Amino acid sequence: MNSVQDSAALPVKLIAIVFVPFASGFFLSILLRYVNAVIARDIAADFSLSPSDLGLLTSVYFLVFAAFQIPLGVLLDRFGPRRVLATLLLFAAAGGLAFGLARDVTELALGRALLGLGVSGCLMGSIKAFTLWFPLARLATLNGWILAIGALGAMAATAPVEAIAGASGWRMVFYVLAACAAAIAALIYFVVPERALPGAGETWSRQFSEIGGILRSVFFWRVALALIVVHGAYQALQGLWLAPWLIDVGGLARPQVANTLLASSIAYGVGSVIFGTLADRMARRLLAFKVGMALAVLAFFAIAAGVREWAPVVLMVYGFGACAAALPYAILTQHFPRELTGRVITASNIFMFLASFGVQWGVGALLRLWPAVDGRYPAEGYAVAFGIVGVMQLAVLLWLLPMKEPQR
């Protein structure tokens, strides 16, 4: 094995030619994931969308994203992250252009689906690349760093998007994002070097059959379910429903909403670095994961209860805790053979994005049970919808907490 793999060093050159290109793709993927939150009301007004229509449209991203995770894992293990991500990001460029040019809901959905497909490998491909190029002992640190970069993408999807949409309209936002996707595809393809893949030469049938062994592992599910439910809910709500909640329940104006979501994203980014770095240095990744998930669940119950005066602070705690989702990928990849890393991380991801799809669509469907007044839904509707999501998060947290730190 190369000395880069055996030591705990993080060479500056590899950071420049491996981490930075993949992190750029993840930045864009998070921006695209959350971009609809700030401009949701503009899109709804232009196309006369109900809350459930808006939730379904926005969550198409998650549905397509999830549907592609299993083949993505096989492709990453077979062809490597460089070629797979460069190709996929071209689909994202096409999706951004299609969304910006859309003239009806069908075209919007097609554009959103292409966006979901195009960025479906940005995080998983990055983690796969890290397992190839960097020491596994620093994987949680690198994952924390890239989630912090993703938090910058979430920040860019708040006040900056509001500024562009206000000046040039929401369609211009997607034209710019389409150009960025094409540029990052070129960056990854031409800058990132190739590297020999563990398990190269396996047949397609064997690669797919090994997924079954992953899914039969109790260890996998105890770690992954907290990621699936807690972080899945976070990205669904941060990407759409927290903004209407801040308006309808918190009584905030749109600029205040954008700034509050920006603050939550900053907390997510700070937490990503803290949790990842401390988990590696203390060699207590599972403990750090438990702490983060517990913070996220407690903060979410405060949101479901309708906290108002302290809403920005609670959302920051929620984001700070949810960012511990960087840690399950490091925990799981060390538990399974290196040649399975692509399939291990995408197996957890498929269920997380299905959960995000369910939450994003389900909250909208539940809100429709209450009559809107002046375009706003009552606190009771949010309390019921968020309360159901909170109970699911609490259940998986209670299963996670008794776990002991795995032996290395």
Side-chain angles (χ1 to χ4, degrees), residues 110-393:
L110 174 62
R112 188 72 176 161
L114 285 171
L115 288 170
L117 173 64
V119 298
S120 61
C122 286
L123 179 58
M124 302 298 97
S126 298
I127 295 174
K128 176 67 178 180
F130 298 162
T131 66
L132 294 174
W133 285 99
F134 295 98
L136 291 182
R138 301 302 302 276
L139 191 56
T141 297
L142 288 163
N143 291 354
W145 287 2
I146 200 168
L147 282 190
I149 299 296
L152 294 177
M155 295 175 207
T158 56
V161 166
E162 171 73 17
I164 295 173
S168 304
W170 63 268
R171 294 181 186 274
M172 180 57 67
V173 172
F174 287 92
Y175 299 149
V176 172
L177 293 175
C180 290
I184 295 171
L187 178 67
I188 291 174
Y189 187 80
F190 291 110
V191 173
V192 178
E194 280 293 327
R195 190 171 182 85
L197 297 169
E202 285 188 344
T203 64
W204 286 97
S205 59
R206 178 174 175 81
Q207 284 191 302
F208 277 102
S209 67
E210 287 173 333
I211 297 170
I214 297 168
L215 297 180
R216 287 191 296 271
S217 168
V218 175
F219 179 88
F220 170 83
W221 285 110
R222 290 193 73 178
V223 173
L225 268 181
L227 165 70
I228 290 164
V229 178
V230 179
H231 194 264
Y234 170 80
Q235 65 185 15
L237 297 168
Q238 177 79 3
L240 183 59
W241 293 117
L242 287 181
W245 178 82
L246 286 167
I247 295 171
D248 298 350
V249 179
L252 301 184
R254 277 184 55 162
Q256 293 174 302
V257 169
N259 289 333
T260 299
L261 294 178
L262 176 62
S264 175
S265 298
I266 292 172
Y268 184 99
V270 171
S272 297
V273 175
I274 292 175
F275 277 112
T277 303
L278 289 181
D280 273 348
R281 290 186 177 180
M282 296 187 305
R284 300 296 299 273
R285 294 173 178 176
L286 186 60
L287 175 61
F289 181 47
K290 292 177 184 179
V291 171
M293 293 297 95
L295 282 174
V297 172
L298 288 173
F300 186 74
F301 272 106
I303 294 169
V307 61
R308 297 189 183 191
E309 291 184 4
W310 292 93
V313 175
V314 172
L315 260 64
M316 290 180 71
V317 174
Y318 184 41
F320 181 85
C323 72
L327 298 173
Y329 299 121
I331 295 168
L332 292 171
T333 51
Q334 285 207 319
H335 184 76
F336 292 91
R338 190 186 295 261
E339 62 269 19
L340 296 178
T341 54
R343 282 159 286 177
V344 169
I345 56 182
T346 54
S348 56
N349 231 33
I350 183 174
F351 295 105
M352 182 178 70
F353 280 93
L354 285 173
S356 294
F357 168 81
V359 170
Q360 205 162 74
W361 174 77
V363 168
L366 287 169
L367 287 177
R368 289 191 67 181
L369 300 177
W370 281 264
V373 178
D374 296 328
R376 300 189 177 197
Y377 285 86
E380 293 81 2
Y382 286 101
V384 171
F386 287 6
I388 292 172
V389 177
V391 169
M392 292 190 296
Q393 294 181 72

Side-chain angles (χ1 to χ4, degrees), residues 73-84 194-195 197 204 207:
V74 173
L75 291 171
L76 287 173
D77 285 339
R78 191 174 189 86
F79 297 110
R82 169 182 164 268
R83 285 181 283 177
V84 173
E194 280 293 327
R195 190 171 182 85
L197 297 169
W204 286 97
Q207 284 191 302

